[in-house]
Amino acid sequence: MSDATIEEFYREERTFPPSEEFKAQALVTDDSLYEEAAKDFEGFWARQARELLTWFDDFETVLEWDLPYAKWFVEGKLNVSYNCLDRHVEAGRGDKVAYYWEGEPGDTRTITYSELLDEVSRFANVLKGLGLERGDRIAIYMPMIPELPIAMLACTRIGVAHSVIFGGFSPDSIVDRVHDGEARAVVTADAGNRRGAPSALKPNVDIALRDCPTVEHVVVVNRCDTDIEMVDGRDHWYHDLMAEASPDCPPEHMDSEDLLYLLYTSGTTAKPKGIMHTTGGYLTQVAFTQKYVFDLHADTDIYWCAADIGWVTGHSYIVYGPLAIGCTSIIYEGTPDTPGKDRLWDIVERYGVTQLYTAPTAIRTFMKWGEQEPARHDLSSIKLLGTVGEPINPEAWMWYHNNIGGGRCPIVDTWWQTETGAQMISPLPGVTPTKPGSGCFPLPGIGAEVVDKSGRPVEVGGGYLTLTTPWPAMLRGIWGDPERYFKTYWSEYEGRYFAGDGAKVDEDGYFWLLGRVDDVMNVSGHRISTTEVESALVDHDAVAEAAVVGATDATTGQAIIGYCILVSGVEASDELGEELRRHVSTKLGPIARPKTVILVPDLPKTRSGKIMRRLLRDVAEGRELGDTTTLADASVVEEIRHRAETHEED
Ligand code: WTA
């Protein structure tokens, strides 16, 4: 095989059709949505937009497409907060719970749709009172407390775009984002609770704002009662302003293509990109996927997306999706190991969670902690599981399926990106027989194809994942940088969107995501995906998590170096390292056998839990570390470097 594509080695024979029990209650159980969308994808999305959303003025044209610029639901007028709140209250569902919120220390709040509407309207008036107007932008830097979605929704009510900055980021990241978006205000909190202690936020804002001349006001929620400085004239307590604000704030009639928010996604090295999302198309696709991918029965289900609202997953599937559909969901403030490693399972049991959406990195951590943690709780309320953020290794999928889903729940492995705004490739849980590790098929109304280096579609085998048709929630650009927008996403393959993921298609047409193409390894001319080798390592009983990289090698071009975290209770030894190398060889063939397997206590990850293979390559090639600013815990790499060095001496 040439080096034009990514080769495939991993074979997965298991399939899991939806159970009869699941199908009996599922919203969709046949191919009708796929068929409808295949005939006329614009008509399909127009129907969803009209059925799922309430428009002040109906749209005239479904789609205007002038590559790379799309306009969806042209001339349509709507308001996101109206769709998420008012219309449910107007329909008599004001007393329905919107959020069960649980603080890390154990304090709780139950917020109904009418209470949420009241607070959102008040905060919208607060923002107006500070001089913010339609077309402005503000930054939001907050912990996972109810005031975070309240602030976001308040923005949408008055046509201010938000730029949420993940609460774990440093002052520098705040400066970059505030500057780039020219934010006029910042909403924050003194601190948030993490791992049993307050983690400071406002002090970071203070440092950042020394360099942010556009910011006129800072609104501060008092979450942890920590001692912070308040700058006269600039800083205001949230509770003071809210006490005086009117709960009456009519929603602005926004254009379908008005900017809804900016969300920055860090390129691995370059300056973060301000991904632009607009109003009508975004909300349509988010609402559609929320309902059909999670098979959400808004009247009865208790849905939980255990991500952080600071990421796109939280924007789309904690805030806008669940509220647009009008369901009840959970927000949890803290970490999954506080006070014990069963915190998530305790929450699932107490609230009777029906759908749980989390990331492979979390699932592999739960694997490492052991199955006794979930086993202590009754998880029988769960009927569906979801995953997002990275390829899920088949063994992690099986662990999730058995230990959390009790072997009975469909798993929706959802591929999408900050740029796509909403889920793109995923099973439909009442329809699709799933295969562990596969995202299965493009959703109805979505066009995706795997292509080879020259852009020709690959029928069966590996290549590059591209999107072939515009979709409603697609990014509308990179804030302030149209050239970079075209170059990054639309220039590689003519007429197609390409955002850097490798993928393969199997004989049944299933899509398998193979990780970032930058990570693909080239061993003696064979292009091998990191994902497949990692999955083969995780397939071994002793391994909870694995990362592999290609390090420069004099004979083979690159050699595969594996880093593995063992499940708790398993002892590290050189023999085990050897056994793992053999295991990969048996699963995938000798070409994919790692040259070395190093057993490590932890792996370098971004704040959102993605493994930073670039740093592992630096370690493997004995280089100085590149940019480590997005690393969640910098000490991890030093420990790995140490293990790697002692390994070489052995
Ligand atoms: C990866 C998160 C495999 C992929 C919503 C993508 C996945 C990047 C999956 C986007 C999945 C996300 N299977 N890989 N189910 N979901 N990815 O912008 O590499 O934080 O390009 O958006 O995560 O990450 P982002």
Side-chain angles (χ1 to χ4, degrees), residues 552-564:
T552 309
D553 184 275
T555 33
T556 54
Q558 283 190 323
I560 301 176
I561 311 293
Y563 300 86
C564 293

Side-chain angles (χ1 to χ4, degrees), residues 7 521-528 553 555-559 591:
E7 292 177 46
M521 304 172 291
N522 194 329
V523 182
S524 306
H526 294 272
R527 295 181 45 88
I528 303 174
D553 184 275
T555 33
T556 54
Q558 283 190 323
I591 186 70

Side-chain angles (χ1 to χ4, degrees), residues 265 311-313 317 357 360 387-392 412-422 425 437-439 465 497 499-502 512-517 531 608 610:
T265 168
W311 310 120
V312 73
T313 304
Y317 297 107
Y357 193 31
T387 152
V388 59
E390 278 184 295
I392 182 163
V412 289
D413 175 3
T414 61
W415 177 87
W416 59 294
Q417 308 176 302
T418 305
E419 292 87 341
T420 69
I425 296 178
S438 169
L465 180 65
Y497 170 94
D501 282 323
W512 299 77
L513 275 298
L514 297 178
R516 306 293 297 166
V517 290
T531 304
S608 65
K610 294 193 207 306

Side-chain angles (χ1 to χ4, degrees), residues 6-318:
I6 303 168
E7 292 177 46
E8 57 158 337
F9 296 94
Y10 203 98
R11 294 264 129 199
E12 178 55 65
E13 307 293 345
R14 294 168 285 200
T15 55
F16 295 85
S19 68
E20 287 310 316
E21 191 191 349
F22 187 87
K23 276 168 91 167
Q25 58 81 62
L27 296 175
V28 189
T29 51
D30 59 25
D31 286 339
S32 52
L33 290 177
Y34 293 104
E35 283 163 10
E36 178 193 347
K39 280 197 205 102
D40 171 13
F41 82 100
E42 292 186 27
F44 169 79
W45 284 118
R47 178 170 82 82
Q48 297 304 333
R50 291 194 176 105
E51 274 180 27
L52 294 167
L53 304 185
T54 305
W55 298 76
F56 297 134
D57 295 327
D58 194 14
F59 46 89
E60 286 166 11
T61 310
V62 180
L63 170 66
E64 273 177 31
W65 177 225
D66 182 11
L67 187 145
Y69 294 106
K71 286 186 184 162
W72 280 90
F73 312 126
V74 185
E75 298 297 321
K77 302 281 184 283
L78 76 167
N79 181 282
V80 168
S81 78
Y82 179 86
N83 273 279
C84 290
L85 304 168
D86 306 58
R87 62 172 179 155
H88 305 313
V89 175
E90 285 166 12
R93 295 192 295 272
D95 291 337
K96 183 172 172 62
V97 174
Y99 290 124
Y100 288 112
W101 173 79
E102 176 145 320
E104 194 188 78
D107 48 338
T108 59
R109 255 184 90 180
T110 300
I111 307 166
T112 64
Y113 274 90
S114 43
E115 287 164 347
L116 195 57
L117 173 59
D118 181 277
E119 296 211 26
V120 166
S121 302
R122 276 178 208 275
F123 196 64
N125 282 325
V126 164
L127 293 175
K128 279 188 182 172
L130 296 175
L132 289 156
E133 292 173 359
R134 185 167 167 159
D136 285 339
R137 275 124 4 242
I138 70 168
I140 300 179
Y141 181 67
M142 287 174 93
M144 288 280 285
I145 55 178
E147 290 81 359
L148 170 51
I150 289 168
M152 294 164 74
L153 289 157
C155 288
T156 73
R157 197 158 186 89
I158 59 172
V160 167
H162 56 69
S163 162
V164 177
I165 303 169
F166 171 59
F169 280 151
S170 65
D172 282 350
S173 323
I174 305 176
V175 175
D176 291 348
R177 289 159 174 76
V178 165
H179 261 299
D180 191 70
E182 296 170 295
R184 291 188 58 199
V186 179
V187 185
T188 187
D190 64 326
N193 291 295
R194 284 194 72 72
R195 257 189 208 105
S199 162
L201 293 167
K202 174 64 165 52
N204 291 343
V205 173
D206 290 334
I207 297 169
L209 292 198
R210 291 182 203 143
D211 293 316
C212 295
T214 57
V215 175
E216 299 153 47
H217 295 284
V218 179
V219 182
V220 188
V221 177
N222 184 9
R223 165 65 183 137
C224 298
D225 238 342
T226 54
D227 200 13
I228 55 163
E229 263 176 56
M230 295 291 277
V231 175
D232 245 3
R234 187 196 72 182
D235 299 355
H236 318 269
W237 286 110
Y238 178 92
H239 53 262
D240 288 345
L241 297 176
M242 286 291 271
E244 287 170 6
S246 152
D248 181 27
C249 178
E252 285 282 322
H253 290 208
M254 303 303 292
D255 189 87
S256 179
E257 280 300 329
D258 276 333
L259 184 67
L260 179 64
Y261 67 75
L262 298 178
L263 184 59
Y264 286 80
T265 168
S266 47
T268 31
T269 45
K271 165 174 172 263
K273 305 184 280 276
I275 301 301
M276 296 163 64
H277 282 295
T278 60
T279 306
Y282 174 80
L283 199 62
T284 298
Q285 193 180 333
V286 164
F288 171 78
T289 48
Q290 182 76 54
K291 180 169 175 177
Y292 293 106
V293 171
F294 294 113
D295 192 52
L296 232 150
H297 298 250
D299 290 344
T300 46
D301 286 348
I302 311 282
Y303 158 87
W304 186 17
C305 167
D308 193 289
I309 294 175
W311 310 120
V312 73
T313 304
H315 281 57
S316 297
Y317 297 107
I318 298 178

Side-chain angles (χ1 to χ4, degrees), residues 430-463:
V431 181
T432 317
T434 54
K435 300 188 185 187
S438 169
C440 301
F441 305 108
L443 285 166
I446 300 301
E449 267 173 5
V450 175
V451 297
D452 66 17
K453 194 79 193 157
S454 61
R456 274 188 302 264
V458 170
E459 297 290 319
V460 175

Side-chain angles (χ1 to χ4, degrees), residues 591-608:
I591 186 70
R593 177 171 51 214
K595 184 177 176 193
T596 313
V597 168
I598 302 168
L599 306 176
V600 293
D602 211 343
L603 289 168
K605 290 184 186 164
T606 65
R607 295 278 180 169
S608 65

Side-chain angles (χ1 to χ4, degrees), residues 339-456:
K341 291 189 164 75
D342 62 340
R343 181 65 184 262
L344 261 49
W345 319 126
D346 174 54
I347 293 176
V348 167
E349 179 172 19
R350 272 189 291 116
Y351 294 95
V353 169
T354 45
Q355 288 94 343
L356 177 70
Y357 193 31
T358 186
T361 181
I363 297 164
R364 293 184 305 246
T365 303
F366 303 142
M367 281 172 78
K368 184 173 70 180
W369 289 343
E371 57 195 52
Q372 76 285 352
E373 300 297 338
R376 280 196 266 152
H377 296 276
D378 176 3
L379 306 182
S380 60
S381 58
I382 297 181
K383 63 171 197 185
L384 174 141
L385 297 169
T387 152
V388 59
E390 278 184 295
I392 182 163
N393 316 109
E395 279 322 299
W397 194 105
M398 289 305 302
W399 190 93
Y400 198 32
H401 180 74
N402 290 327
N403 292 287
I404 310 303
R408 59 174 199 283
C409 305
I411 295 181
V412 289
D413 175 3
T414 61
W415 177 87
W416 59 294
Q417 308 176 302
T418 305
E419 292 87 341
T420 69
Q423 297 160 345
M424 302 292 286
I425 296 178
S426 165
L428 276 185
V431 181
T432 317
T434 54
K435 300 188 185 187
S438 169
C440 301
F441 305 108
L443 285 166
I446 300 301
E449 267 173 5
V450 175
V451 297
D452 66 17
K453 194 79 193 157
S454 61
R456 274 188 302 264

